[in-house]
Amino acid sequence: SQHWRRWLTTYCRRLRSQEDRSLLIEALDTNQVLQKTIRLSGGGFLRQGARLVSPAYVGDTLELGGFENMALNTEFVLCKAEGLQHGKPVFQSRNKEFMLSSAITQQGKVWIVSPDEKFQQTKNQGSPEGLPLKRYGALLVSPVDAQLLEAPQLNWQELTESGKWIMNKNAGLVKIRRPALPLQVRVMPPTAPSIIDYSDSYVQAMESPLVVWATFFLILEVIQFFFLHKASMKALSNRIIKFMSRLRWLLTSTCACLALFRLSSRRK
C-alpha cells in the first residue's frame, strides 16, 4: 500500500547518451538521491532531491578474470560511499569482500585489488603514497598507468599463496559492462510520501486486536456449540445463547477500544 502509493508518484526519464549517464552517476549520493538538478540531452530534467528507483545501478560493471585465485575472478561495481582515491573512483566486489582502487606505489600509479579490511586501514592512514605493495594488502596489481576505461586490460600481477608476484598475460580486466542506451530510469520526486516503518504503521496497530478478537470469537463459538449440544431444555439453550452473545459483545468492544487506543498512539 505505502510502496504502491510511492510508486504511483514516480516518473520516467530516458538517458540517451553516455554524458547523461555520467551526469546522473555524479549527481547521485550513497542513498541514490540526486544532489543537484541535471538537464538531459533529450530536454528533460532530473530534479535535485529526487531518488533513483530503478534501475538500482547505472554505473559500469568491471569484470576481472584469468587469475589463479578464483575468488578474485569476480565483478566490481562503483562504490560511491568510498569517494575518490587519488582522484579515481573506487570499486567494490559484488560480495563486498574486495576493493579495486587506485594506488601510488614505488613503481608508479596502478590499480590494486585488496581485501576490504586492508583497504579501510590504508584509507584511515590518509591514503599514503609510495608504499610497497605489501603495505596496501594488494592481491592484484595492474600495469603502471593503466586506465580502466576500455577492456580488455591484461598483464596484471597476482600475489600467490607462497608470497611471490607472478604476471599473467591473460589476466586482468576482461570486460566492462555498461547499461544499453537509451536507458529508461524511474525517479521518485522529493515530494513523494515517505514510507513509515511497519512497527509504527496503522496496519500494525490493528493487527494484535484483530488477532485477539478473531481467536477468542472462534473459541466462544466452539464453546457455545458444545453447550447447546449438551443442553436438554430450550430455556437453558436460550440462556446459553444470551450469555454467549453478551460475551461476544464484551470481546468486540474491548478489542475495539484496544484498537482505537493503539491507533491514537501512532497518530503523529
Side-chain angles (χ1 to χ4, degrees), residues 238-250:
N238 290 335
R239 288 182 180 181
I240 292 174
I241 292 174
K242 186 178 294 185
F243 177 73
M244 298 304 292
S245 178
R246 290 176 179 176
L247 281 182
R248 283 194 291 268
W249 274 109
L250 178 62

Side-chain angles (χ1 to χ4, degrees), residues 182-201:
L183 174 66
Q184 181 172 283
V185 296
R186 184 170 289 274
V187 180
M188 182 180 300
T191 55
S194 59
I195 291 181
I196 303 172
D197 189 81
Y198 180 70
S199 61
D200 297 326
S201 66

